Amino acid sequence: HRGPDAGGVWKDPQAGIWLGHRRLSIIDLSPNGGQPMVSESGRWIIVFNGEIYNFQELRNELGARGHRFRGHSDTEAFLAAVEEWGLEEALKRSIGMFALAIWDRREMTLHLARDRIGEKPLYYGWAGGTFLFGSEMKALRAFSAWQPAIDRNALALFFRYNYIPGPYSIYRGIGKLPPGTILTISKRSGIAEPRSYWSLKQAVAKASANAFSGSENEAIERLDQLLRQTIKRQMISDVPLGAFLSGGIDSSTVAALMQAQATRPVRTFTIGFRESAYDEAAHAKAVARHLGTDHTELYVTSNDAMAVIPKLPELYDEPFSDSSQIPTCLVAELARRSVKVSLSGDGGDELFAGYNRYFLARSIWRRIGWLPGPLRRSAASALTFMSPKAWNRLLGGVSRYFPSMLRPRHFGEGLYKLAEILRSTGPEGMYHRLISHWEEPAELVRDGCEPDTVLTDSMAWPALPDYTERMMYLDSVTYLPDDILVKVDRASMGVSLECRVPLLNHEIVEFAWSLPLSLKIRAGQGKWLLRQVLYRYVPKHLVERPKMGFGVPIDAWLRGPLRDWAEGLLDVRNLQQAGYLNPRPVRRKWEEHLSGRRNWQYLLWDVLMFQAWLEQERVRQTSAS
């Protein structure tokens, strides 16, 4: 599914190396673009997933240096760059998203590398005495000596965050190559630790030392230019291309700058829901009409959305429970009917402070941080004295008079979230509570203990004095590559659609981190600078509305059409027989959710996605034996 158009294998049994590739043909559809690809000199052999967006500039420079090309693919241009400058310098000169493996025949050395932000996945590890690697776990499972063992500590991390943060994976001994790194393995020296050729931590430090000092208008103009240049590069394709459009700030900006540089209407795609609380299709349609795109919208029913659920464990390979995976799969399927490449607006929240928690947490802590800890905890106990359902009955009618942060769809749940914040020991603790699902996953996962991650190791953080910027950084190195980009990559590649993310061009990332926070957050609202660029192309009234997110009503579905499915997976005997989870907290939350006393949709979805994945794992192992 990642590459249905062509495939190939290159092997050197004497050296002990096999390289395999499946191709999704985007640039140079001829056999000259096929892989595995051998370099001009014959020294280097590469398998490559992704795109080098500045390959034409590289190709022109390398051609002037005497290199000759068989075809016009970006992979061939990158190989020539490796021949000319070496792997690390070629990576530094390349702008793109990729995971690659490249074999050096002269040095008998294998190198793995991943793009700077982590748009493309790369797993690796050992099966017996063989080193395996691949874009998905499915490639590793195909090896005859594969004997997977679930890592209970990684599982504890999954229940904390709803994804497994790198470098861990669900299996012991199998890791994810960190973004912006190279891994080298040779017969002579074995396997080395991943080394960075680019890191966000270093980029942030450099940006802080060279902070943007221009005017607001200069910042707007600079961002506009960077976005235009980036999107123009990412529109290069030998196959039909389009864009996801939700009608929000990020996707509207990408679509607007695509249309501004296109010679014909750009194809845009939107999923709509009949449930008004989850539907953004009307907003997207208004933006598309203004821009003049060739717009396709599809209203899906709850049955359409729920039909995706059985496919999720196979699609995502590991337990993964960001429920917006469902609409992401649906919009990818819709786009693939018409195009082979789609641009997405992901990344804007992390770069330009779009998440509500950035400015709300800042505001809340400023108001409550001075209170003594015992007083905050007493206030939290008072707020949780009644159930959320009881609070809804008591105060629901007057909720409109409260600050917007306390007016979610379920008023009582908002008060419980505030209680969690009040119990925090400091701003970092508050952030960790806000991003946590199961607060004590080690009590849920039998024999599981959470290992350290960058989220819990402050020594791994850059020196950022501002609390909001620390949150943005941590999201950018954890939630973005391990949740958002995983969700988009697996959903799109699962239907053989290449998804490009222009906001994550490292030049835009570095520019964004050079900006003062005042150009991102203003008047209690994020993405100020990005909005100013968008207003050049789209009227303000078409895109200004409260942030909605990309979700589905999992809470209601679990009490309704998904109840029987969920009950089977959450059955006490099922949980006990599997032996990974303590049934008691699971059943307690399930019963509270069914009664309406609490809305535990996200925590229950974590358990359900693990249980569904585990069922499929059993089927796989039975088939293999």
Side-chain angles (χ1 to χ4, degrees):
H1 60 275
R2 293 191 85 89
D5 299 326
V9 173
W10 182 93
K11 59 185 178 181
D12 183 345
Q14 187 173 359
I17 178 78
W18 276 256
L19 300 176
H21 187 264
R22 291 297 312 178
R23 187 178 185 209
L24 181 64
S25 302
I26 303 295
I27 303 290
D28 190 352
L29 310 185
S30 76
N32 288 328
Q35 298 183 45
M37 186 179 288
V38 182
S39 69
E40 190 179 3
S41 69
R43 174 181 173 182
W44 305 91
I45 299 91
I46 193 170
V47 282
F48 179 97
N49 170 220
E51 298 290 344
I52 302 293
Y53 300 124
N54 65 331
F55 77 96
Q56 290 180 334
E57 295 100 302
L58 292 174
R59 181 186 172 93
N60 292 339
E61 182 177 356
L62 291 161
R65 290 173 173 264
H67 290 268
R68 297 293 175 259
F69 300 92
R70 299 181 297 273
H72 66 272
S73 73
D74 57 325
T75 304
E76 190 177 11
F78 179 78
L79 260 183
V82 174
E83 295 240 67
E84 181 69 28
W85 299 305
L87 176 61
E88 186 162 340
E89 184 62 24
L91 289 167
K92 290 178 178 179
R93 288 172 179 252
S94 297
I95 299 172
M97 61 170 186
F98 48 82
L100 64 89
I102 187 166
W103 173 248
D104 183 346
R105 297 173 85 174
R106 189 179 74 190
E107 299 297 327
M108 300 284 283
T109 299
L110 177 72
H111 305 280
L112 306 182
R114 194 174 176 203
D115 65 69
R116 294 170 176 86
I117 307 299
E119 293 181 55
K120 286 297 176 183
L122 185 44
Y123 293 92
Y124 69 95
W126 293 89
T130 302
F131 182 75
L132 306 177
F133 57 90
S135 294
E136 294 187 18
M137 209 76 82
K138 297 176 189 65
L140 279 61
R141 289 195 191 103
F143 189 63
S144 59
W146 172 260
Q147 293 183 319
I150 291 175
D151 186 337
R152 292 174 184 263
N153 294 342
L155 187 58
L157 289 175
F158 165 72
F159 283 106
R160 166 76 70 181
Y161 302 116
N162 88 251
Y163 61 87
I164 298 175
Y168 305 104
S169 85
I170 189 60
Y171 298 122
R172 289 203 301 268
I174 303 297
K176 300 165 188 163
L177 188 66
T181 65
I182 304 168
L183 181 81
T184 298
I185 179 168
S186 70
K187 284 191 170 182
R188 285 195 296 271
S189 55
I191 186 169
E193 286 295 312
R195 68 183 190 278
S196 294
Y197 67 88
W198 186 93
S199 80
L200 184 60
K201 182 179 180 181
Q202 292 173 357
V204 167
K206 186 176 179 180
S208 298
N210 300 278
F212 180 80
S213 58
S215 67
E216 290 180 355
N217 287 336
E218 288 171 334
I220 295 168
E221 184 60 32
R222 176 60 178 152
L223 181 57
D224 194 343
Q225 290 174 353
L226 277 173
L227 287 168
R228 277 179 165 268
Q229 179 186 43
T230 295
I231 289 170
K232 184 177 181 180
R233 279 176 173 157
Q234 296 198 15
M235 289 173 68
I236 296 172
S237 171
D238 292 340
V239 295
L241 174 143
F244 300 147
L245 178 61
S246 70
I249 301 300
D250 304 336
S251 66
S252 296
T253 302
V254 171
L257 287 164
M258 288 177 74
Q259 191 58 69
Q261 301 178 92
T263 56
R264 63 185 67 178
V266 170
R267 298 297 306 267
T268 54
F269 304 92
T270 298
I271 288 292
F273 290 94
R274 299 300 175 190
E275 297 92 339
S276 59
Y278 296 88
D279 184 46
E280 293 187 284
H283 304 294
K285 188 174 184 178
V287 172
R289 188 185 300 117
H290 174 80
L291 294 174
T293 69
D294 180 1
H295 190 59
T296 301
E297 65 177 16
L298 176 66
Y299 273 83
V300 296
T301 66
S302 58
N303 288 335
D304 295 325
M306 288 185 288
V308 174
I309 293 172
K311 306 174 187 176
L312 297 176
E314 175 69 16
L315 189 64
Y316 283 89
D317 265 342
E318 294 187 277
F320 182 79
S321 56
D322 182 335
S323 59
S324 64
Q325 64 199 140
I326 296 172
T328 304
C329 289
L330 290 167
V331 76
E333 286 180 356
L334 175 65
R336 186 61 181 90
R337 298 173 193 174
S338 305
V339 300
K340 209 169 180 179
V341 177
S342 186
L343 273 64
S344 166
D346 293 292
D349 288 309
E350 290 81 3
L351 291 180
F352 296 99
Y355 292 127
N356 290 337
R357 61 175 171 263
Y358 293 153
F359 38 96
L360 291 180
R362 182 188 187 91
S363 175
I364 292 169
W365 193 255
R366 189 182 298 126
R367 287 170 170 78
I368 69 170
W370 62 274
L371 292 171
L375 186 58
R376 291 203 308 273
R377 289 190 289 273
S378 296
S381 298
L383 289 174
T384 54
F385 177 73
M386 292 194 301
S387 71
K389 190 174 181 179
W391 277 117
N392 288 337
R393 286 196 302 267
L394 181 65
L395 297 174
V398 297
S399 65
R400 64 182 181 275
Y401 300 113
F402 283 72
S404 60
M405 59 162 285
L406 294 179
R407 279 189 273 124
R409 282 189 287 271
H410 301 287
F411 183 78
E413 295 293 336
L415 290 178
Y416 266 61
K417 180 63 73 173
L418 179 58
E420 290 178 16
I421 291 172
L422 287 168
R423 292 191 181 102
S424 302
T425 55
E428 276 71 29
M430 178 171 65
Y431 167 72
H432 207 235
R433 280 181 178 272
L434 288 171
I435 63 172
S436 294
H437 283 216
W438 288 83
E439 281 287 346
E440 299 294 339
E443 294 179 5
L444 173 68
V445 179
R446 292 178 173 176
D447 302 318
C449 180
E450 291 180 81
D452 280 334
T453 69
V454 67
L455 288 163
T456 54
D457 180 10
S458 60
M459 297 299 292
W461 305 349
L464 291 167
D466 190 279
Y467 162 52
T468 303
E469 289 186 319
R470 293 198 295 275
M471 285 195 291
M472 292 167 62
Y473 173 80
L474 291 174
D475 277 347
S476 295
V477 295
T478 55
Y479 179 64
L480 178 62
D482 293 325
D483 184 317
I484 299 298
L485 296 177
V486 166
K487 175 183 66 180
V488 172
D489 174 80
R490 307 306 190 276
S492 58
M493 293 300 280
V495 293
S496 306
L497 175 75
E498 180 173 280
C499 185
R500 301 175 177 178
V501 191
L503 292 178
L504 295 182
N505 179 330
H506 74 280
E507 295 164 317
I508 294 175
V509 172
E510 291 168 355
F511 174 68
W513 275 100
S514 75
L515 298 169
L517 207 55
S518 61
L519 290 181
K520 300 174 184 177
I521 298 176
R522 193 167 294 190
Q525 188 180 57
K527 299 183 186 174
W528 182 86
L529 187 63
L530 196 60
R531 291 171 193 270
Q532 308 316 303
V533 172
L534 178 58
Y535 298 155
R536 291 180 165 190
Y537 304 91
V538 177
K540 185 176 181 178
H541 71 273
L542 291 182
V543 292
E544 283 299 340
R545 63 184 187 279
K547 186 175 179 63
M548 184 179 289
F550 198 32
V552 287
I554 294 292
D555 55 343
W557 290 357
L558 289 177
R559 297 187 186 99
L562 288 179
R563 180 169 178 170
D564 289 344
W565 168 76
E567 188 65 68
L569 290 173
L570 301 180
D571 179 78
V572 171
R573 287 168 299 180
N574 224 336
L575 294 166
Q576 288 175 336
Q577 184 178 359
Y580 289 99
L581 303 182
N582 179 2
R584 186 176 299 172
V586 175
R587 294 300 304 182
R588 183 171 63 248
K589 284 182 168 47
W590 178 231
E591 289 159 11
E592 289 178 354
H593 186 84
L594 290 178
S595 71
R597 294 197 304 274
R598 295 296 307 270
N599 177 8
W600 293 119
Q601 58 176 332
Y602 299 122
L603 280 70
L604 290 169
W605 193 248
D606 297 337
V607 178
L608 290 166
M609 284 293 96
F610 171 65
Q611 289 293 99
W613 177 86
L614 194 60
E615 277 198 353
Q616 192 169 81
E617 184 78 349
R618 291 195 201 102
V619 170
R620 276 193 293 259
Q621 291 182 8
T622 301
S623 300
S625 61

